[in-house]
Amino acid sequence: MLMHDLSSSAPNPLAGLKAKRLGREFAAAIGLSALAALGFAGELRSGSFIATAQAQTAERIVAAGGIVTEVLYALGLQDKVVGVDTTSQWPPEAQKEKKSVGYVRALSAEGVLSLKPSQIIAVEGAGPPDALALLKESGTPITMIPEALTPEAVVAKIAAIGKAAGAAEPAQQLAATVKTRFDELDRLRTGLPKQKRVLFVLSLQNGRTMVGGRNSTADAIIALAGGVNAAGAVEGFKPMTDEAIITAAPDIVLMMRFSSAHNATPEELFAMPAFSQTPAAKQKALIRMDGLYLLGFGPRTPNAARDLMAELYPEAKIAQLSAAK
């Protein structure tokens, strides 16, 4: 079944709700000062109107966020999922079987509510705030899942998603399996040779190199795989100058596979001035991995970190995670 995009063609179940809301806001504006109005807007931006649902059996779930969809499918709850966002790329059938509610940070409130969900499960950062406020005002339960990147946070996210979907016990079992994989990964890291410096390149466009600095998903996965982030001098995903890349001296460049943003071959990449003078250029050391697998921070993350570790340290002959066999 083809994916449907509801962001523009869906019926508008919020028309009456919006009209009532506008009427109330107009009436309230008569008695409120501009300062109070600004305070209300701040509450909307902060997400303080978003409710966290209690554990319940959700029969029609809208999943906003790749990890949410991945966990729901891993728990065998795919038949209860009626809509997903465009970042829900795993498993691949999710985009084919389920209706789209748009990009996770630009959700269509009308599109979501047209699916008549009994539960919305969304990652932290989903939005925009006005759409979330309208969804809450409609009475639809919403559970927000934090986007932390530690192994403990991944395990907690799995449990939280399962609880929201009414599958707390199976989610706890999945979370325990994932924790076991992270524990095995810890033991694998202790036997590694000298750490290699890894530069994650998000994109190469218009002569600018966008890299993953500290406190990014790239930084976290590199650490889990036993590497050192060569872009630790920058925060988040930021451009890096040619001079800074040369100074960072990466042993290996890491990029996403099948990304239209950077299809350069190893020969093309290491012919560029920024990369030609790095240690990585000597061996044309370029690793490509699937983006969601690498940076998704869901149930597959221990396996992704292990696979990256095996690529970084082939001489160490990294074992498979026993829990994944």
Side-chain angles (χ1 to χ4, degrees):
M1 180 172 66
L2 294 176
M3 178 183 71
H4 301 277
D5 191 336
L6 298 177
S7 59
S8 60
S9 60
N12 189 352
L14 289 179
L17 180 59
K18 285 181 175 177
K20 292 178 183 178
R21 186 182 182 196
L22 288 172
R24 289 198 303 271
E25 289 175 353
F26 178 76
I30 297 174
L32 289 176
S33 68
L35 181 61
L38 286 173
F40 176 76
E43 285 183 323
L44 277 181
R45 285 193 296 272
S46 70
S48 61
F49 284 83
I50 305 304
T52 299
Q54 300 298 318
Q56 58 180 289
T57 301
E59 297 300 329
R60 296 182 62 82
I61 303 172
V62 167
I67 184 177
V68 177
T69 301
E70 183 173 337
V71 169
L72 293 174
Y73 270 75
L75 294 174
L77 300 177
Q78 58 268 26
D79 289 344
K80 295 185 177 182
V81 177
V82 294
V84 299
D85 78 299
T86 56
T87 71
S88 297
Q89 299 290 324
W90 185 266
E93 54 265 30
Q95 289 291 313
K96 299 175 183 177
E97 297 172 348
K98 309 302 178 181
K99 293 186 177 180
S100 174
V101 292
Y103 176 53
V104 66
R105 299 186 189 279
L107 298 173
S108 162
E110 291 87 349
V112 170
L113 289 183
S114 74
L115 298 177
K116 298 179 174 58
S118 57
Q119 174 72 277
I120 299 167
I121 308 177
V123 294
E124 189 178 57
D130 284 350
L132 291 179
L134 285 168
L135 292 171
K136 173 59 179 69
E137 196 168 343
S138 76
T140 305
I142 302 175
T143 297
M144 303 302 291
I145 305 298
E147 283 275 59
L149 302 176
T150 64
E152 296 78 13
V154 172
V155 170
K157 285 190 283 188
I158 293 169
I161 292 167
K163 181 179 179 181
E169 186 174 345
Q172 289 289 353
Q173 294 172 359
L174 176 59
T177 298
V178 173
K179 182 181 184 303
T180 298
R181 294 174 185 170
F182 275 122
D183 292 342
E184 290 186 44
L185 194 65
D186 286 343
R187 291 191 288 272
L188 289 175
R189 278 198 302 274
T190 62
L192 292 177
K194 180 182 176 181
Q195 286 181 300
K196 294 186 179 178
R197 296 178 62 79
V198 184
L199 180 67
F200 177 81
V201 175
L202 179 66
S203 65
L204 295 167
Q205 290 183 320
N206 302 320
R208 299 179 60 181
T209 302
M210 188 77 68
V211 303
R214 63 183 180 275
N215 298 322
S216 67
T217 50
D219 182 69
I221 198 69
I222 289 169
L224 284 174
V228 174
N229 187 0
V234 302
E235 177 84 17
F237 290 99
K238 297 282 176 58
M240 201 170 189
T241 65
D242 290 1
E243 294 78 9
I245 290 172
I246 294 169
T247 301
D251 299 302
I252 294 172
V253 175
L254 175 63
M255 302 172 84
M256 292 188 294
R257 185 185 298 137
F258 306 133
S259 172
S260 60
H262 47 71
N263 291 319
T265 65
E267 290 73 22
E268 291 170 336
L269 176 70
F270 292 112
M272 296 177 182
F275 297 95
S276 63
Q277 300 179 54
T278 64
K282 296 177 182 178
Q283 303 296 327
K284 291 186 173 55
L286 172 63
I287 297 173
R288 278 200 171 97
M289 293 179 64
D290 176 78
L292 185 61
Y293 182 54
L294 185 68
L295 305 178
F297 279 81
R300 299 182 297 158
T301 293
N303 306 79
R306 178 266 157 204
D307 291 351
L308 177 57
M309 185 186 294
E311 293 275 1
L312 295 177
Y313 306 100
E315 68 278 13
K317 295 180 169 47
I318 303 299
Q320 292 285 346
L321 301 182
S322 62
K325 289 180 180 177

